[in-house]
Amino acid sequence: MNQVSTPDASADGLVLGLERIDAGMLARVGGKAANLGETTGAGLPVPPGFCLTTEAYRRAVGPAGLEDVHGALAITGDHDLAALAALAARARELTLGVDVPPDIAAAVRESYAALGPDVPVAVRSSATAEDLPLASFAGQQDTYLNVVGADAVLDAVRRCWASLWTDRAVAYRATHGISPSTVALAVVVQRMVDAAVAGVLFTANPVTGRRHEAVIDASPGLGEAVVSGAVNPDHFVVDTATGEILERRTGDKAIAIRPLPGGGTERTALSPDSGPSLGDAQVRALAALGSKVERHYGEPQDIEWAIDALDKLWLVQSRPITTLYPLPDPRPDLPEPDGTRVFLCFSLAQGLTRPLTPMGMAGFRLIAGSVARSAGFDVPEPRNGPAPYRQAGQRLFVDFTPVVRSSVGRAIVPRVFDIMEARSAAVLRRLFADPRFTVTMRSPWRVLRHVVPVAAKGRVPESLFRALLRPETALRRVDSFGLRHRAALVVPADATGPERLNHAERILGGELFPIVPAVLPLPAMGFALLAVAGKLAGQGTDSGALQAVLRGLPNNVTTEMDLALWHLATAIRDSGAAAVFEDASPQELARRYRSGGLPAVVQSGLTGFLARYGHRAVAEIDLGMPRWSDDPTHILGVLANYLKLDDPALAPDRQFARAAREAEAQIERLIAIAGSRGGPAGRLRARLVRGALRRTRMFAGLRELPNYHIVEGLAAVRKEVAAVGAELAAAGRIGEADDIFFLDFAEAHRALAGASLREVVAVRREAYDAELGRRRIPRVLLSDGTEPEALHAPGTGAAAGVLSGTPASAGTVTAKARVILDPQGAALEPGEILVAPSTDPGWTPLFLTAGGLVMEMGGPNSHGAVVAREYGIPAVVGVPDATAAISTGQVITLDGGAGTVTPESG
């Protein structure tokens, strides 16, 4: 089967030969044809063919009257599947009724004849929103195989055009926000390969992420059997660096799809003992060809292939693998280290699943550089961040290889993650057995050389002794530190744009990290003394007994914030102003608040709350995220939710006070246990337990304070950056003020100097919006693309259907689940169990009325777990894929002590 040159068969280029098509013609020929043309141009073995362009589609369907359908689709919600299906059916009916214009029909006949007399062809849809790097529409439109004769080809073309409006394609585009008036369909006509065996090839492992493994599925006959899932194919995994076949698995391959003489296909039964469909040489040849395709495109490919009766290999189509998580971006300012590296996702460790804006990334580079410099590491250019800093998929990653290869790191870090993010701890421990990551640093001195200066500069030993001997004085010093910190954030009102940016960089690069050693030793001591008290009390003090001491903690700024919002809701209810929340949406309430049009108790109360807590936000560690003071819509929605709680016994302030009383009672029990042995030793032991637990109660709640002060600093930075954004937007150098958050500091300075960065912002916004849809984020990622967690998929619990995680807050509750992926605008009915990917302080107002908490992320001392315990609601964290396995409205039983979630069936 030799390549055939198909001429442009019409004067205006409505039909093009594949050899005349390249990747830059996407809008004219669609994703499939663009990829086939690009592969053909690279000299790879692609069956010859031609493409009817999108202009041919528009010319043909223009008179059909689709404009009304487009308009109706544009205003139909993506959840109204019945309406979408009805409109899709109307669009198909109109499209199937069109006649192919005579000049287009003539061009098709001429191009088809050039392929050979009555040659069998495949007629494939090629959409403009298909096979793209950021969205995969594979399978959304139709393909017709073994089409014979020009009339049959024209009929298949018309049916392909109509398949642009299948129910699934219309729903997919609605979900992804693609306007129906912007899509069009090209059609590829390709000579059929009479395949002896065919299938699919991934040039990177789509399950584990490994970039050096090719994965091949194969079955006799046409590849449609594999692509459609009609068979269990033969499965091969090949190391593309060595050619070694790592895995062979023979499928049952019950049927084969083969072409019929004269057109169409049939399914034939295969012998159950037919053996593998590919020999080792063919497997290696496929992997090698896949590597050529990948090198041409510069990224991993999903390839459909066929081998004919003469053992010739053909590529039927190729498109990017859209499901792979991106590799960490290289650092052009640093040499790439040798060997495989381990990267930990810092974003997930902070409870953040969404991408960060470019300015958010820039802020973290400066903060990370400040941390590294304080620890004695060299950071030549602060704006680039320290050497371990990386980003992948617009999320923060840290090169954790030195930690994994250090005996001190192995001893300490997983234990920290055990209580902060247990699933990451398990992944790291599995890596310890990998021979690529053997220990190379055994001495603790290298670690101490970097830790001791930070502790000394932050006067950590002094803080610890003061906390032990004079705890009230220690608390007062923390308060005074907060006052000094806020004073350092102020910038003169008449500062110029460059001065504002410089001030922002000074805060990020020098003012924020000192908060950690100034405050964190106190809560660390509080938790340490809790453990000491447990040892002193002896028997009867299991982990559950000690965790009860942490309920209803004082000095926690996050719980104080949530209770302040609850008290505002109470004042609104008592004043009779609650009706305004029933009559208007949160968006409308926010508009009225800005204009001063809410009832006085709401207007003044919300103003007071935002004056104290308005610097907070959901995903608040990202400079690019609006603060509550910028947009109070979320807080007004939470207030509306609070006002639905009408059972006084469930009032959050009462529950919090009850939790505090129970904690004090638990302390008395532990003191009694410690003193039960009697005599001077028992009395001393009881006094020590009392003192330790008193300090635990005083200090443990401060664990939220470093983050609170850091977010204060981030809010101050955001204010200055936003002011510069307004200046740049007024000058026309960016489109709107918030566009500045899609630049970094160096670019913002360039814009102030006169550069227009509108195009830069547009590209980054598009990439950011695409990343917002990504749900699976690896906790740990290796430099070869491997996602270690995917190699050891966790079980689903001790019993079928039971989801297992980490116990976080004791108690059992059975209630309806509410799956929430983003708290902005979310409604949680009182008593419902909140199921979330992770939480940060911006989520916690929802906790007050929740009956329980399930999180995919976290450990027993992660933010969500701590707050859940303080509110006295059962919680299980670190539950893999909880937001997918549980659906809103489903009744589930949550056991916070056992760490299990049991969904009811049906």
Side-chain angles (χ1 to χ4, degrees):
M1 189 178 291
N2 299 317
Q3 288 283 16
V4 176
S5 179
T6 50
D8 286 352
S10 63
D12 52 4
L14 296 177
V15 177
L16 300 173
L18 291 181
E19 69 280 357
R20 291 177 171 82
I21 294 172
D22 59 42
M25 301 169 67
L26 175 67
R28 290 184 67 192
V29 301
K32 188 176 280 90
N35 287 341
L36 284 170
E38 187 73 20
T39 310
T40 300
L44 294 163
V46 178
F50 58 92
C51 172
L52 284 80
T53 66
T54 53
E55 181 58 28
Y57 165 82
R58 293 189 177 96
R59 279 266 308 275
V61 304
L66 284 171
E67 294 82 1
D68 291 343
V69 178
H70 292 167
L73 284 170
I75 61 174
T76 301
D78 59 354
H79 296 298
D80 192 349
L81 298 181
L84 290 174
L87 290 167
R90 177 59 179 157
R92 291 196 301 275
E93 179 185 4
L94 292 172
T95 305
L96 286 171
V98 304
D99 292 324
V100 180
D103 59 334
I104 296 176
V108 169
R109 291 179 185 279
E110 181 181 348
S111 296
Y112 176 68
L115 295 177
D118 284 338
V119 63
V121 293
V123 182
R124 305 177 187 274
S125 303
S126 182
T128 54
E130 175 184 51
D131 297 344
L132 306 181
L134 298 176
S136 177
F137 282 65
Q140 294 295 330
Q141 279 81 46
D142 289 345
T143 289
Y144 297 93
L145 301 177
N146 199 40
V147 179
V148 179
D151 290 341
V153 169
L154 287 169
D155 181 63
V157 166
R158 190 186 295 104
R159 284 183 286 158
C160 282
W161 285 340
S163 75
L164 185 62
W165 304 105
T166 62
D167 292 358
R168 65 183 184 276
V170 168
Y172 193 96
R173 292 195 293 269
T175 300
H176 288 77
I178 298 172
S179 171
S181 62
T182 62
V183 295
L185 194 75
V187 179
V188 174
V189 179
Q190 252 185 315
R191 184 186 287 180
M192 279 281 295
V193 177
D194 188 4
V197 59
V200 296
L201 159 65
F202 292 92
T203 65
N205 194 316
V207 176
T208 67
R210 286 175 171 163
R211 300 308 202 264
H212 60 83
E213 290 182 356
V215 177
I216 300 167
D217 286 345
S219 188
L222 300 179
E224 178 68 12
V226 176
V227 174
S228 67
V231 297
N232 292 320
D234 298 332
H235 181 79
F236 306 89
V237 179
V238 184
D239 186 323
T240 53
T242 65
E244 179 185 359
I245 300 175
L246 304 175
E247 182 181 344
R248 295 179 182 85
R249 187 172 68 241
T250 303
D252 55 31
K253 306 183 299 295
I255 64 163
I257 298 178
R258 302 192 187 278
L260 285 169
T265 60
E266 66 175 352
R267 296 191 175 201
T268 60
L270 293 177
S271 169
D273 57 353
S274 57
S277 53
L278 292 175
D280 286 2
Q282 291 173 309
V283 170
R284 293 190 178 95
L286 274 167
L289 186 58
S291 295
K292 287 183 182 179
V293 179
E294 181 179 294
R295 282 195 297 272
H296 175 74
Y297 282 103
E299 60 183 328
Q301 296 289 298
D302 169 4
I303 295 167
E304 293 182 30
W305 55 269
I307 298 176
D308 64 21
L310 300 176
D311 203 33
K312 181 173 176 56
L313 175 57
W314 296 91
L315 299 182
V316 179
Q317 52 180 305
S318 182
R319 54 181 168 259
I321 304 175
T322 59
T323 57
L324 292 173
Y325 195 82
L327 295 177
D329 294 340
R331 288 281 300 267
D333 57 324
L334 295 172
E336 281 298 306
D338 295 331
T340 307
R341 311 297 290 181
V342 179
F343 296 99
L344 179 83
C345 186
F346 183 79
S347 290
L348 278 186
Q350 292 295 307
L352 188 63
T353 57
R354 63 184 294 138
L356 273 77
T357 60
M359 188 61 76
M361 287 285 192
F364 262 98
R365 286 196 293 271
L366 289 167
I367 296 171
S370 172
V371 174
R373 287 195 308 275
S374 298
F377 292 98
D378 184 31
V379 184
E381 173 46 67
R383 285 177 177 170
N384 293 338
Y389 174 95
R390 291 290 191 281
Q391 61 188 65
Q394 300 176 44
R395 291 160 180 92
L396 289 167
F397 282 79
V398 178
D399 188 343
F400 238 52
T401 315
V403 173
V404 174
R405 306 197 73 165
S406 162
S407 57
V408 176
R410 290 188 174 201
I412 295 174
V413 172
R415 294 182 183 180
V416 173
F417 275 97
D418 281 336
I419 60 175
M420 300 305 297
E421 217 296 286
R423 289 172 64 187
S424 294
V427 174
L428 286 172
R429 285 191 173 98
R430 284 197 292 267
L431 288 176
F432 295 164
D434 191 320
R436 293 174 295 176
F437 307 118
T438 55
V439 172
T440 58
M441 293 175 285
R442 300 186 182 278
S443 171
W445 297 115
R446 186 172 178 179
V447 176
L448 291 173
R449 180 161 55 90
H450 295 293
V451 173
V452 170
V454 176
K457 186 176 181 180
R459 303 170 74 174
V460 172
E462 178 184 337
S463 297
L464 292 174
F465 278 115
R466 185 181 296 110
L468 272 175
L469 302 177
R470 301 173 63 189
E472 289 83 2
T473 301
L475 282 178
R476 287 195 295 271
R477 287 182 67 88
V478 167
D479 290 339
S480 64
F481 174 85
L483 294 174
R484 294 194 303 273
H485 167 67
R486 293 185 190 99
L489 303 179
V490 177
V491 64
D494 60 351
T496 65
E499 288 172 342
R500 291 184 186 279
L501 290 180
N502 291 337
H503 174 74
E505 291 189 85
R506 179 185 63 79
I507 292 174
L508 295 166
E511 297 292 338
L512 297 189
F513 177 64
I515 294 168
V516 176
V519 179
L520 196 59
L522 271 67
M525 170 163 282
F527 285 105
L529 289 174
L530 179 66
V532 169
K535 295 286 187 183
L536 290 172
Q539 295 181 349
T541 55
D542 57 21
S543 60
L546 294 176
Q547 291 289 345
V549 173
L550 300 175
R551 298 187 63 193
L553 284 173
N555 303 320
N556 185 318
V557 288
T558 299
T559 54
E560 289 170 359
M561 174 189 74
D562 296 341
L563 290 171
L565 193 60
W566 169 255
H567 291 143
L568 173 56
T570 302
I572 292 170
R573 182 187 289 110
D574 292 345
S575 71
V580 71
F581 287 85
E582 299 174 4
D583 299 335
S585 68
Q587 291 77 12
E588 172 62 17
L589 292 171
R591 188 193 64 77
R592 293 186 196 175
Y593 172 74
R594 294 187 191 97
S595 65
L598 291 176
V601 65
V602 183
Q603 192 78 29
S604 62
L606 185 56
T607 298
F609 177 84
L610 294 176
R612 176 72 189 276
Y613 300 110
H615 63 281
R616 309 219 74 164
V618 176
E620 60 192 4
I621 64 172
D622 184 356
L623 286 172
M625 293 301 292
R627 310 290 113 172
W628 289 338
S629 55
D630 299 327
D631 182 3
T633 302
H634 173 61
I635 290 301
L636 287 162
V638 173
L639 280 170
N641 187 56
Y642 285 2
L643 291 168
K644 296 177 182 178
L645 185 62
D646 52 11
D647 185 347
L650 298 178
D653 52 351
R654 293 192 183 186
Q655 294 200 65
F656 187 80
R658 183 164 58 248
R661 289 194 300 271
E662 292 172 356
E664 294 294 342
Q666 182 68 7
I667 288 174
E668 293 304 318
R669 283 193 288 271
L670 293 172
I671 292 170
I673 292 172
S676 62
R677 301 178 188 179
R683 288 192 295 273
L684 175 61
R685 200 178 287 265
R687 288 182 60 190
L688 291 173
V689 169
R690 182 183 297 277
L693 294 181
R694 175 171 172 257
R695 286 161 176 78
T696 293
R697 294 281 298 169
M698 290 179 68
F699 297 142
L702 295 174
R703 73 177 297 278
E704 295 288 313
L705 192 58
N707 183 68
Y708 182 87
H709 285 320
I710 287 172
V711 172
E712 280 184 317
L714 293 176
V717 169
R718 177 181 167 83
K719 179 180 177 182
E720 303 307 321
V721 172
V724 175
E727 179 181 339
L728 293 176
R733 293 166 198 157
I734 56 178
E736 53 190 72
D738 278 357
D739 283 353
I740 195 170
F741 296 107
F742 288 86
L743 306 175
D744 60 25
F745 283 101
E747 291 164 338
H749 277 289
R750 280 177 48 212
L752 284 172
S756 174
L757 296 176
R758 285 173 170 265
E759 291 186 10
V760 171
V761 169
V763 169
R764 290 181 182 169
R765 277 193 179 274
E766 182 180 4
Y768 178 83
D769 290 343
E771 275 297 327
L772 283 172
R774 191 186 296 277
R775 289 284 296 118
R776 193 176 116 210
I777 316 299
R779 285 160 177 76
V780 177
L781 181 66
L782 303 189
S783 55
D784 67 354
T786 303
E787 298 180 25
E789 194 171 20
L791 300 177
H792 303 273
T796 57
V802 176
L803 307 177
S804 296
T806 301
S809 180
T812 301
V813 61
T814 299
K816 288 183 178 179
R818 174 76 61 173
V819 178
I820 297 178
L821 303 179
D822 185 341
Q824 298 280 13
L828 182 72
E829 296 296 322
E832 288 183 327
I833 297 173
L834 171 61
V835 182
S838 63
T839 62
D840 66 7
W843 285 73
T844 58
L846 294 173
F847 286 23
L848 282 184
T849 56
L853 172 68
V854 178
M855 293 196 325
E856 293 180 339
M857 290 288 299
N861 270 355
S862 60
H863 169 81
V866 170
V867 176
R869 281 197 300 273
E870 293 188 17
Y871 291 163
I873 62 174
V876 179
V877 300
V879 182
D881 302 318
T883 58
I886 300 169
S887 56
T888 293
Q890 185 177 21
V891 176
I892 62 175
T893 297
L894 184 161
D895 188 332
T900 59
V901 181
T902 307
E904 286 192 3
S905 59

